[in-house]
């Protein structure tokens, strides 16, 4: 199974229009506020930090480049060729590798696993953007990438984030400037029930090793100048051992 053409086209269109530069899109916050905070919860569960690290749904590669300074082999993977163009442009030294990947296609994940072996995988805000029928296939592909030794860190906006986003979109002045393109391209943030994430992982043969809550930092601000943060939940998962 692979993603629908509508979903693929929506992301290609979004990234084709997105400006260059870190922080130019709604979720592209500084790594110290995003991946850096997540690593504090992820690293204690890594059985082998030397495994390749895949930043799944890497977008323009801001977090990928952060990981490349901390892990020996980092791959930024994304559905959108335009997103990967942004990532490569921002990484002229080639600190990370970049790979176009349909993460809802288990065969593509198995091909990448055959090349890299078991990998640790970071997934920030990908599952909640998937079409409903693509969510379990994405979890299945994630399990294929992890293999026996890999660990995954997933962080997703919680259901409460949808209320925040709806309020922003329907404000008197309309949605904030960086949220507007997300909505215009038909992307649907915050659409996954909180309990669905661990359920999809378990159905893929993974065990949830840890979980918690953190604010998901954005690059946008309210009219009063307050940084917009979205409630989010995170989980660490790995292959089931029993």
């Amino acid at each position: 199974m692979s993603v629908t053409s509508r979903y693929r086209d929506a992301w290609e269109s979004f990234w084709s229009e997105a400006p260059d530069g870190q922080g130019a899109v709604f979720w592209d916050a500084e790594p110290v506020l995003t991946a850096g905070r997540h690593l504090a919860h992820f690293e204690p569960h890594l059985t082998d930090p030397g495994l390749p690290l895949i930043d799944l749904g890497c977008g323009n590669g801001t977090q990928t480049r952060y990981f490349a300074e901390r892990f020996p082999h980092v791959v930024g993977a994304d559905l959108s060729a335009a997103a990967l163009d942004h990532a490569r442009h921002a990484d002229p030294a080639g600190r990370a590798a970049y790979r176009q990947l349909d993460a809802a296609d288990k065969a593509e994940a198995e091909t990448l696993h055959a090349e890299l072996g078991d990998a640790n995988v970071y997934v920030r805000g990908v599952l909640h953007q998937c079409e409903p029928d693509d969510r379990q296939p994405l979890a299945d592909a994630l399990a294929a990438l992890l293999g026996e030794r890999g660990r995954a860190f997933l962080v997703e906006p919680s259901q409460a984030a949808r209320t925040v986003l709806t309020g922003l979109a329907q404000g008197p002045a309309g949605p904030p400037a960086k949220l507007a393109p997300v909505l215009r391209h038909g992307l649907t943030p915050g659409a996954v029930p909180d309990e669905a994430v661990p359920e999809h992982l378990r159905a893929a043969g993974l065990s949830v090793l840890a979980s918690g809550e953190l604010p998901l930092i954005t690059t946008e601000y309210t009219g009063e100048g307050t940084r917009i943060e979205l409630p989010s939940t995170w989980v660490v998962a790995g292959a089931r051992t029993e």
Side-chain angles (χ1 to χ4, degrees):
M1 180 176 180
S2 62
V3 298
T4 64
S5 60
R6 186 212 67 80
Y7 178 71
R8 185 189 300 270
D9 292 346
W11 278 110
E12 201 63 44
S13 178
F14 173 84
W15 281 113
S16 293
E17 293 182 11
D20 282 324
Q22 190 272 316
V25 300
F26 184 68
W27 53 80
D28 193 31
E30 305 92 314
V32 68
L33 300 177
T34 49
R37 290 182 176 180
H38 299 150
L39 271 180
H41 300 281
F42 190 21
E43 285 187 305
H45 297 280
L46 298 180
T47 57
D48 186 350
L51 293 178
L53 176 72
I54 301 172
D55 182 8
L56 189 62
C58 69
N60 62 0
T62 297
Q63 314 307 318
T64 318
R65 294 187 294 278
Y66 176 85
F67 288 129
E69 296 174 354
R70 289 157 177 81
F71 294 92
H73 184 192
V74 175
V75 177
D78 203 279
L79 175 67
S80 167
L84 295 172
D85 286 343
H86 282 289
R88 293 185 180 101
H89 181 262
D91 187 11
R95 288 175 288 173
Y98 299 95
R99 172 75 169 260
Q100 190 168 11
L101 179 73
D102 180 347
D105 189 329
K106 188 177 180 181
E108 288 195 26
E110 289 172 339
T111 297
L112 184 55
H113 180 265
E115 296 175 13
L116 297 178
D118 291 358
N120 297 315
V121 184
Y122 175 75
V123 189
R124 182 173 68 107
V126 174
L127 196 67
H128 80 110
Q129 287 283 10
C130 289
E131 303 281 1
D133 289 346
D134 290 333
R135 292 170 192 159
Q136 189 57 51
L138 187 144
D140 295 340
L142 177 61
L145 293 171
L146 297 182
E148 295 299 319
R149 295 180 296 150
R151 295 289 184 263
F153 183 93
L154 295 88
V155 57
E156 298 288 340
S158 64
Q159 285 176 278
R162 191 171 182 84
T163 303
V164 176
L165 290 165
T166 299
L168 292 170
Q170 297 177 352
K178 293 178 185 177
L179 179 60
V182 178
L183 304 175
R184 187 174 68 251
H185 288 281
L187 305 171
T188 54
V192 179
D194 294 346
E195 66 276 7
V197 176
E199 288 175 358
H200 284 306
L201 295 173
R202 293 186 183 108
L206 299 173
S207 293
V208 173
L209 306 174
S211 62
E213 298 180 357
L214 281 173
L216 198 61
I217 310 298
T218 78
T219 61
E220 192 59 274
Y221 294 81
T222 66
E224 293 73 38
T226 302
R227 173 97 70 148
I228 295 171
E229 300 182 0
L230 302 178
S232 74
T233 59
W234 59 266
V235 299
V236 178
R240 193 173 294 149
T241 56
E242 67 273 12

